[in-house]
């Protein structure tokens, strides 16, 4: 048995260092690295099972060619050279007839390695195909909101929490999605009595441990943040010196916006008690180093950008952006300045037609001149995770669409493919990583032999590039040499990384030695007033107003959807592990007891969730984890697991106010009993 130090590649802010135990090339067990300060010797409950993921009997082991109707899941095994020849011959023919825009590479984040994630993008960039506007299903809204307010720069170091005297988890269930920060914060709470506040419409696992839990009404975070600012100003707790020195436009916000957000009106909008709002403001106002962990949860709705931006302005009022252990943390990656273009944009046109990640269905069904005729999906399962999932499936079912899916598993999306290629997992690949929620960089080497004939994203991108006649050097380099390209022209701590230590697998700390939070906005200050937003016709100052489309939907339907991460699943990436499927349980929804009683429903019932977009079936749980008027559906589960359908069949593909992101939670619906006789066959 051999131990190999590797890096977790799942889409997660923590980027753990892991120890893989391998016997004769076979992965036996994975555990957290005890010698990595942030990982601190433990992996999460999902990754503790990654040996089951890698060795799952459900993995695809050879390339497959479709041998039945699209969606049927009928395939025949073929050889790699046959598969690659067929793919590239079809692409060449389609490009010859319709031009490169008829091809779309749809690759995302399930492998966080800079090579395995980046080179697939590099392939399609170099081919000049239609280009994916990636990440709108996830973080483009929060990222845009942060960028216009703070600038494209990383936030607070999560490890600075040892200096914090208050942590606020605002729209983030840290016990699910950021377990290493959560563990550090809890340790500070135990050691020093540092209080933790949780602001979330769901009484999450994190909320249950909090000193103060605020069950906020969905989509009202901007109002709460403005209500807190109102009290800080009222009580003389605003840091005037900091505001004058480091921020722009606060005086106008103070004059025109804050007077509207009295505690009483804030309570009315947010559904919170005045006493709780006062308590939050007092805790925040008196703290010396309050750290706000901004979650993406508050941005997955129509006015999500406004919500995140407003909360990110709070440390500008307290001045905590200048204090170690204070400020705000959304993401850190923007401060790791590597030469990403070397991998992601080796050649190809500077701009081309864009396809929004969350509107795949519409793109496949409606795009013309030319229509999308070839689709390559990698590390992404859009028929489950993309809103308007019905449209995605209708698009994928098009007989004249040539679809290739590269995945370790035969996903719901792969079932529609003409060619399925077996993907190697991260434990079977070499790659360079940098965290997006901490300041660490690390090389992760291949620990296990790829199962069957599985090949990595990097390897397949190179093989396809070669057959397509692309000559860029990066398509010929071995992984380590390709990784070195990332350092050419790099700046900051990442550029300084000692290559010998790096490639020996040592974690490299890449935190900047900051005198305080830098601002990379046009003014160089924290922007309460944003000219960039004004130019886009958006409110230049933080504010909260009711969204008119949401208000109309709320009149038509009685329940609002709340989406939240699964504790034992992350989207569909672990659905090949039967143990974790069982831990997560039969795909379910949760109703407040009052809403369940009103509909004559009880826990364990199979229920129908429906709206104008369709209907799906889930198993009902009833408890007060959520407020009346809301239905919680954790995660997105494959149709094979659910009673019928998947939650994104009910979700709209409307864009958020900033970053053209997904608005899963701007979804209204109703729930009713679902007798077996009424259910469609799957
Ligand atoms: N309703 C609703 N929908 C949501 C969300 C929500 O909150 N609510 N959240 C959204 C968010 S935040 C995100 S990020 C998206 C995620 O959506 P997706 O990106 O579709 O994520 P996964 O379902 O995890 O699918 C990843 C796929 O990659 C495969 N994979 C894993 N490793 C590799 C690899 O190394 N190579 C290749 N080729 N494949 C690999 C996995 O088997 C899996 O099939 O979902 C979004 N969808
Ligand atoms: N276990 C697990 N871990 C994961 C994932 C997973 O699916 N499962 N997904 C990974 C990915 S791809 C991502 S992008 C990150 C995302 O991780 P986070 O940034 O934590 O974001 P979300 O998971 O979308 O939502 C977090 C919380 O926001 C709450 N919320 C929803 N609406 C509102 C609102 O209007 N206001 C407030 N204050 N709170 C609200 C939800 O109830 C939920 O508890 O997590 C990553 N880690
Ligand atoms: S916490 Fe995140 S980075 Fe760490 S092992 Fe789990 S998924 Fe991977
Ligand atoms: Mo995400």
């Amino acid at each position: 048995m051999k131990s190999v130090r590797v890096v977790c590649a799942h889409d997660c802010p923590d980027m753990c260092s892991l120890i893989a135990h391998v016997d004769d090339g076979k992965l036996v067990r994975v555990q957290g690295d005890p010698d990595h300060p942030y990982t601190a010797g433990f992996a999460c409950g999902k990754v503790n099972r990654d040996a089951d993921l890698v060795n799952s009997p459900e993995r695809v082991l050879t390339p497959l060619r479709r041998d039945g109707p699209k969606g049927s899941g009928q395939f025949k095994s073929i050889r790699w050279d046959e598969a690659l020849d067929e793919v590239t011959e079809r692409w060449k023919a389609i490009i010859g007839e319709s031009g490169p825009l008829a091809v779309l590479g749809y690759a995302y984040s399930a492998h966080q390695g800079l090579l395995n994630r980046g080179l697939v993008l590099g392939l399609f960039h170099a081919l000049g195909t239609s280009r994916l506007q990636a990440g709108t299903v996830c973080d483009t809204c929060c990222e845009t909101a942060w960028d216009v307010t703070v600038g494209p720069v990383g936030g607070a170091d999560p490890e600075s929490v040892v200096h914090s005297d208050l942590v606020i988890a605002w729209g983030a269930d840290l016990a699910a999605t950021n377990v290493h920060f959560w563990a550090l914060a809890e340790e500070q709470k135990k050691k020093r009595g540092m209080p933790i506040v949780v602001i979330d419409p769901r009484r999450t696992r994190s909320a249950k441990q909090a000193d103060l839990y605020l069950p906020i009404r969905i989509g009202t975070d901007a109002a709460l943040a403005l209500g807190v600012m109102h009290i800080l100003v009222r009580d003389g707790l605003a840091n005037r010196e900091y505001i004058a020195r480091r921020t722009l436009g606060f005086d106008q916000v103070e004059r025109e916006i804050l007077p509207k957000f009295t505690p009483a009106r804030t309570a009315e909008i947010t559904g919170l008690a005045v006493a709780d709002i006062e308590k939050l403001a007092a805790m925040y106002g008196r703290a010396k180093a309050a750290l706000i962990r901004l979650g993406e949860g508050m941005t997955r709705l129509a006015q999500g950008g406004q919500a995140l931006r407003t909360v990110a302005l709070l440390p500008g009022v307290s001045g905590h952006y200048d204090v170690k252990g204070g400020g705000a943390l959304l993401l850190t990656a923007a401060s790791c300045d590597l030469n990403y273009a070397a991998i992601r944009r080796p050649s190809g046109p500077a701009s081309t037609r864009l396809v929004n990640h969350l509107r795949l269905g519409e793109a496949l069904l409606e795009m013309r001149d030319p229509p999308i005729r070839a689709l390559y999906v990698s590390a992404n399962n859009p028929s489950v995770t993309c809103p308007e999932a019905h449209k995605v499936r209708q698009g994928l079912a098009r007989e004249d669409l040539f679809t290739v899916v590269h995945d370790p598993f035969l996903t719901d999306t792969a079932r529609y493919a003409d060619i399925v290629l077996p993907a190697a997992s991260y434990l079977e690949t070499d790659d360079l990583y940098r965290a997006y929620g901490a300041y660490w960089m690390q090389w992760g080497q291949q620990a296990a032999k790829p199962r069957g004939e599985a090949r990595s994203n990097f390897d397949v991108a190179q093989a396809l590039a070669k057959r397509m006649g692309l000559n860029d050097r990066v398509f010929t380099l071995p992984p380590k040499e390709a990784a070195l390209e990332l350092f050419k022209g790099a700046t900051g701590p990442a550029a300084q990384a000692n290559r010998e230590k790096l490639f020996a697998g040592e974690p490299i700390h890449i935190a900047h030695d900051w005198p305080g939070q830098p601002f990379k906005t046009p003014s160089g200050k924290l922007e309460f007033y944003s000219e960039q937003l004004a130019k886009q016709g958006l409110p230049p100052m933080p504010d909260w107003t009711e969204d008119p489309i949401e208000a109309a939907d709320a009149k038509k339907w009685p329940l609002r959807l709340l989406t939240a991460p699964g504790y034992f699943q992350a989207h569909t990436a672990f659905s090949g592990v039967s143990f974790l499927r069982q831990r997560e349980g039969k795909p379910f929804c949760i109703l407040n007891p009052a809403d369940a009683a009103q509909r004559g429903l009880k826990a364990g019932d199979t229920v129908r969730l429906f709206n104008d977009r369709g209907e799906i079936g889930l198993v009902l749980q009833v408890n007060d984890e959520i407020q009346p008027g809301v239905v919680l559906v954790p995660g997105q589960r494959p149709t094979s697991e659910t009673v019928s359908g998947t939650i994104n069949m009910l979700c709209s593909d409307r864009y958020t106010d900033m970053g053209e992101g997904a608005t899963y939670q701007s979804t209204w619906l109703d729930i009713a009993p679902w007798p077996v006789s009424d259910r469609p066959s799957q």
Side-chain angles (χ1 to χ4, degrees):
M1 185 97 83
K2 180 172 90 159
S3 302
V4 187
R5 197 178 210 182
V6 296
V7 183
C8 176
H10 293 290
D11 189 341
C12 171
D14 296 11
M15 200 197 85
C16 288
S17 180
L18 303 171
I19 307 297
H21 301 276
V22 185
D23 192 15
D24 194 21
K26 187 178 177 219
L27 184 72
V28 178
R29 192 161 59 91
V30 170
Q31 64 180 128
D33 182 348
D35 297 323
H36 186 290
Y38 195 47
T39 303
F42 74 96
C44 64
K46 306 181 297 298
V47 168
N48 280 330
R49 294 278 157 180
D50 265 3
D52 294 358
L53 184 72
V54 171
N55 298 319
S56 169
E58 295 161 38
R59 275 189 69 175
V60 181
L61 300 176
T62 67
L64 304 171
R65 180 190 286 129
R66 183 162 63 89
D67 190 30
K70 290 201 174 196
S72 66
Q74 292 166 34
F75 292 96
K76 264 205 180 126
S77 192
I78 55 171
R79 291 193 324 269
W80 265 102
D81 55 351
E82 278 179 86
L84 295 173
D85 285 346
E86 183 165 337
V87 172
T88 47
E89 274 159 29
R90 289 292 297 270
W91 285 359
K92 283 178 190 165
I94 288 171
I95 291 172
E97 286 163 20
S98 308
L101 297 187
V103 178
L104 174 66
Y106 192 90
Y108 199 43
S109 62
H111 193 313
Q112 284 285 324
L114 297 175
L115 304 179
N116 280 286
R117 183 169 176 186
L119 203 64
V120 191
L121 302 175
L123 168 68
F124 292 99
H125 201 282
L127 289 172
T129 62
S130 287
R131 201 166 285 161
L132 186 69
Q133 184 188 347
T136 57
V137 293
C138 171
D139 60 7
T140 54
C141 175
C142 62
E143 210 175 352
T144 307
W146 172 269
D147 288 357
V148 294
T149 309
V150 179
V153 56
D157 185 344
E159 291 166 79
S160 71
V161 71
V162 295
H163 304 290
S164 308
D165 62 356
L166 173 66
V167 163
I168 304 180
W170 201 316
D173 183 3
L174 300 177
T177 59
N178 196 188
V179 294
H180 293 83
F181 177 64
W182 180 246
L184 262 183
E186 282 215 301
E187 192 183 314
Q188 300 311 307
K189 178 174 150 140
K190 276 193 204 107
K191 268 195 195 155
R192 306 187 281 120
M194 181 201 71
I196 300 180
V197 175
V198 171
I199 302 172
D200 196 305
R202 175 187 192 187
R203 192 183 302 277
T204 57
R205 290 190 180 177
S206 317
K208 287 174 188 152
Q209 314 282 324
D211 298 274
L212 176 65
Y213 164 54
L214 300 180
I216 193 167
R217 186 174 287 148
I218 300 172
T220 63
D221 299 273
L224 180 58
L226 291 165
V228 172
M229 287 182 207
H230 177 107
I231 298 171
L232 295 181
V233 166
R234 182 197 70 191
D235 294 352
L237 293 168
N239 185 337
R240 297 287 170 184
E241 184 277 323
Y242 185 83
I243 290 170
R245 186 165 48 87
R246 300 293 285 135
T247 73
L248 179 79
F250 182 74
D251 44 352
Q252 199 180 342
V253 172
E254 187 174 2
R255 264 192 329 271
E256 296 174 22
I257 309 286
L258 296 190
K260 298 192 286 183
F261 292 90
T262 58
R265 178 155 182 267
T266 304
E268 203 181 297
I269 297 170
T270 58
L272 299 170
V274 167
D276 280 345
I277 297 167
E278 290 280 358
K279 190 166 178 195
L280 172 67
M283 284 172 88
Y284 191 70
R286 298 220 175 86
K288 298 276 180 284
L291 180 53
I292 303 180
R293 179 60 170 89
L294 299 160
E296 302 187 19
M298 72 176 113
T299 67
R300 308 200 186 285
L301 34 84
Q303 309 291 340
Q306 187 65 275
L308 189 120
R309 160 171 159 72
T310 309
V311 179
L313 286 167
L314 262 178
V317 182
S318 63
H320 291 185
Y321 270 133
D322 241 6
V323 181
K324 226 179 186 167
L329 167 62
L330 174 68
L331 300 163
T332 57
S335 286
C336 179
D337 179 33
L338 292 171
N339 176 21
Y340 299 103
I343 307 293
R344 295 181 192 170
R345 298 189 289 279
S347 60
S351 66
T352 150
R353 181 168 73 176
L354 285 181
V355 173
N356 187 307
H357 199 156
L358 72 92
R359 292 219 174 139
L360 178 63
E362 185 186 280
L364 293 179
L365 293 171
E366 290 170 27
M367 229 166 213
R368 298 284 172 268
D369 300 323
I372 303 292
R373 295 182 56 196
L375 173 72
Y376 182 86
V377 179
S378 171
N380 212 187
N381 188 8
S383 63
V384 181
T385 57
C386 212
E388 296 277 15
H390 277 307
K391 275 197 211 165
V392 175
R393 289 172 194 222
Q394 273 169 29
L396 290 172
R398 262 177 48 201
E399 278 306 327
D400 60 343
L401 177 72
F402 175 65
T403 303
V404 180
V405 174
H406 185 213
D407 202 289
F409 292 92
L410 195 64
T411 62
D412 282 357
T413 306
R415 296 171 79 86
Y416 287 89
D418 296 283
I419 301 282
V420 178
L421 303 174
S425 72
Y426 72 95
L427 289 149
E428 300 157 329
T429 59
D430 286 333
D431 215 320
L432 179 69
Y433 300 83
R434 59 102 183 87
Y436 67 78
Y439 287 99
W440 289 97
M441 182 163 78
Q442 196 172 337
W443 175 255
Q445 62 167 306
Q446 179 186 335
K449 276 200 263 203
R451 288 279 310 283
E453 296 173 19
R455 290 170 70 172
S456 73
N457 298 359
F458 181 82
D459 186 15
V460 174
Q462 289 193 331
L464 289 168
K466 188 170 168 206
R467 279 177 160 76
M468 292 303 287
L470 294 172
N471 296 319
D472 308 277
R473 247 181 95 240
V474 72
F475 293 121
T476 60
L477 296 176
K480 255 185 209 167
E481 284 180 40
L484 285 171
E485 297 291 305
L486 287 160
F487 291 94
K488 294 188 176 158
T491 63
Q496 256 86 74
N498 176 315
R499 311 291 190 269
E500 215 169 293
K501 287 186 177 167
L502 181 71
F503 289 118
E506 265 189 48
I508 311 282
H509 199 216
I510 53 168
H512 290 247
D513 200 10
W514 285 343
Q517 173 67 48
F519 301 117
K520 286 205 177 159
T521 53
S523 65
K525 294 182 167 185
L526 180 72
E527 295 202 350
F528 280 87
Y529 187 95
S530 167
E531 195 56 48
Q532 294 184 80
L533 289 178
K535 279 195 192 127
Q536 293 170 48
L538 290 167
M541 288 187 286
D543 202 351
W544 183 89
T545 49
E546 191 167 48
D547 180 76
I549 300 176
E550 287 188 355
D553 277 345
K555 284 210 181 88
K556 198 166 153 200
W557 297 96
L559 297 170
R560 182 173 198 166
L561 176 68
L562 173 59
T563 74
Y567 287 111
F568 297 95
Q569 291 288 328
H571 316 294
T572 66
F574 295 86
S575 52
V577 184
S578 63
F579 174 85
L580 292 173
R581 285 199 297 257
Q582 278 159 28
R583 285 302 303 270
E584 187 68 26
K586 193 88 188 132
F588 62 96
C589 59
I590 305 182
L591 270 187
N592 184 275
D595 285 322
Q598 202 186 14
R599 290 168 178 75
L601 298 171
K602 58 178 191 325
D605 284 356
T606 293
V607 290
R608 183 168 77 96
L609 287 74
F610 61 99
N611 62 14
D612 292 333
R613 289 184 199 90
E615 60 182 17
I616 69 161
L618 295 172
V619 176
L620 181 69
Q621 293 186 10
V622 180
N623 63 51
D624 65 359
E625 226 173 270
I626 52 151
Q627 314 149 24
V630 174
V631 56
L632 169 68
V633 179
Q636 307 88 45
R637 308 284 292 274
T639 29
S640 57
E641 292 177 35
T642 52
V643 176
S644 172
T646 190
I647 189 60
N648 274 318
M649 291 175 172
L650 306 186
C651 292
S652 137
D653 61 4
R654 184 184 169 192
Y655 291 156
T656 46
D657 53 348
M658 297 174 204
E660 301 193 329
T663 55
Y664 310 106
Q665 288 173 184
S666 296
T667 298
W668 269 261
L669 68 163
D670 202 355
I671 296 193
W674 212 7
V676 178
S677 55
D678 292 353
R679 294 177 208 162
S681 50
Q682 285 258 8

